[in-house]
Each structure stands twice: as C-alpha cells, then as structure tokens.
Amino acid sequence: MSLQGKVAVVTGATRGCGRAIAVQLGAAGATVYATGRTTRSSSSPMNRPETIDETAELVTAAGGEGVAVRVDYLDRASVDALRDRVAADHGKIDILVDDVWGGDQLVEFGADLWDTDLDNALTVVRNGLETHIIALHRLLPLVAKPGGLVVEVTDGDDEDYGDYGVGVPYFLVKSGVRAIGRALGVDLAKHGVTGLAVTPGFLRSEMMLEHFGVTEETWREGIAKDPNYAMAETPHYLGRGIAALAQDPDVARHRGKTLASWTLMNEYGFTDLDGSQPDWGRWHADVVVKGVDPATVDASRYR
C-alpha cells in the first residue's frame, strides 16, 4: 500500500519531527502541505535557519509533492487561508498531523513555577495548546470521512511527571496534547476517522544536535555528555511510524492511544535512517527507572 493520491497537512513542519514526518509521508507518495511560520523570506520568533520551503523541497525529492504554506496557528485568518487553499486544491485532507510547538526557547527546565517568567510560561501554553485547538477547529471539517487520520504529536507516552524537571508549563502542554489525542479517538470515531497521539524518544533534531555540540554524522560524541544519548533517534524514526500508520487499513484499532516511536517500530518493523531500531521505552524501563549507570550498558542490545 502507498499514499499515492492522499493529501496530508503537517503543522509545525519547519524542522524536527514535523519536517521528518512530512518527508516520510512524501516518501510514501502523498501530497504534503508543509506549514509553519518560517520561510526563506519571513522568520519566526524562534529565529532558526530552517524553513518550510526546504521541507517542501525535501518532500518532493523523497517522491511526494511538497507544498509550502506559511501559517501562524495563533492567527485564525492564517489558518482559514490554509483551509481554503487545500479545499480549493483537493477538497479534502486524508492525513492531518498536528505538530505545532515553538516553545523550547521559552521553557525554563528545572525551575520552580513561581521562579519562572510568567509571560514565557503562558506563551508556552498558548504556542503548544491553543495552536492545536485552532488548527483542529478549522481543519477537521476537511478531513476525509470515512478513512481520515488525525495525529497529535506530543512528548512522552504516559502521565508520569517523574523527575525530569520539565516544569509545569511544558508538562501541561504535552499532557494536554495527549488528552486531545484521547478525546479525538472518541469524537472522530463517530465519523469514521481515527484520532490518536504519538511521541518520539530521545531526539536527534536540529536543536538537540546543537545542544550536544554534534552533527548527525558525529552524534555519538554526545554520549560523553549524556550516556542516555546512546539511544537517540532521528526525527525520521517517528516519521516512518506515522507513514506506517497512514498505510495501515486497520489503523482504527489505535484510536485514542498515545503511540511511541518504539511502539510503532515494534508494531510495523521499520528502522531509523541508519538501519537501527532504537527502543527508548525499554531503555528507560531497564536503565533510567532502575537507576543503572547508562555508561555500563551495552546500548546495542536496545538498538
């Protein structure tokens, strides 16, 4: 099965998982609207070099048809313009992937809520949740019925706050996105559409590579800074998982769930770009939760 003739819209497709998801849907043959705020002629407050124009070109190079559309998902008129364009071009959306975020630079990881900048905290919530509600409100009427797929992208596959030190605003956003996925699983089922949420593991996104001071070619050097980075995955790992979901004729069995990249890998058998199959979930359970020194663990057993 392929995605030839299918129309996908990916929000937050400028970089990271959004870009990789768009590319992998394109590799399966879909027409993909890569949407976000940064183009070659217009930047966002993220002030990053990646653009939706590049994403659309990568989609086309992968075998699909990439269409870059600048959208600010806090601007309803901007989202309406996207909706009207897709409606005029195709009259439907087969796959809607909601990956808007844009909050990393505002999150004060490790800080107590009362010590954080309140404006930043509220902006994180707006960027990470309000955008998703606006996107869904405006675009869901176009999702093909029956047979459509709506995917919310979050961080983490359970509600355990744990000891990560992510802070209340970040946790609120990511748990809120999981909740949206659960609710969509119920609400969209009535229309023959499957709604769910997904999460990556320990990412080798553009920003994470910079954080570790490495490149995709030298990423293993980051293990010296954090031994858990031995289990890092590219954003394309999750992208391949979503492409597999979109081609599964029985995808409805997953409605309402939050599926991790490693869960999808175990279900569909795909690999990351380097041919490995990193299993962050098993590593987390065996190493992180049990307090095992990750430097002493043979990472190849989990890849």
Side-chain angles (χ1 to χ4, degrees), residues 10 19 29 59 69 71 83 87 95 102 115 125 142 165 193 200 225 238 246 266 268 289 294:
V10 181
R19 168 174 284 189
V59 169
V69 182
V71 181
R83 176 199 60 202
I95 305 153
D115 288 329
V125 175
L142 277 183
V193 175
K225 295 184 178 180
L238 183 63
N266 285 314
Y268 296 107
V289 172

Side-chain angles (χ1 to χ4, degrees), residues 106-218:
L106 301 172
V107 176
E108 298 177 52
F109 292 107
D112 292 321
L113 177 61
W114 54 90
D115 288 329
T116 62
D117 182 287
L118 182 56
D119 288 333
N120 283 348
L122 294 174
T123 300
V124 165
V125 175
R126 290 195 70 210
N127 283 359
L129 281 178
E130 190 173 324
T131 53
H132 283 241
I133 297 299
I134 293 172
L136 293 168
H137 185 272
R138 293 307 206 245
L139 298 177
L140 279 178
L142 277 183
V143 174
K145 308 174 185 65
L149 174 65
V150 180
V151 180
E152 290 286 308
V153 182
T154 186
D155 182 12
D157 64 344
D158 61 40
E159 299 306 314
D160 182 15
Y161 185 77
D163 57 356
Y164 292 112
V166 295
V168 171
Y170 186 92
F171 185 72
L172 174 62
V173 167
K174 301 308 180 181
S175 59
V177 172
R178 288 189 290 272
I180 292 172
R182 290 194 298 274
L184 291 177
V186 175
D187 291 348
L188 297 183
K190 297 177 291 187
H191 305 282
V193 175
T194 300
L196 52 84
V198 298
T199 179
F202 204 158
L203 271 181
R204 299 202 305 269
S205 64
E206 299 91 344
M207 293 183 70
M208 286 301 293
L209 290 170
E210 288 182 11
H211 172 75
F212 280 94
V214 296
T215 66
E216 179 56 31
E217 291 70 32
T218 65

Side-chain angles (χ1 to χ4, degrees), residues 248-288:
D248 184 348
D250 191 27
V251 68
R253 72 187 187 280
H254 296 305
R255 62 176 178 261
K257 297 178 182 178
T258 297
L259 300 172
S261 57
W262 57 92
T263 309
L264 291 166
M265 173 272 292
N266 285 314
E267 175 78 16
Y268 296 107
F270 57 85
T271 68
D272 205 343
L273 295 182
D274 61 1
S276 69
Q277 294 179 307
D279 191 331
W280 172 256
R282 194 159 61 91
W283 175 276
H284 184 265
D286 290 354
V287 180
V288 179

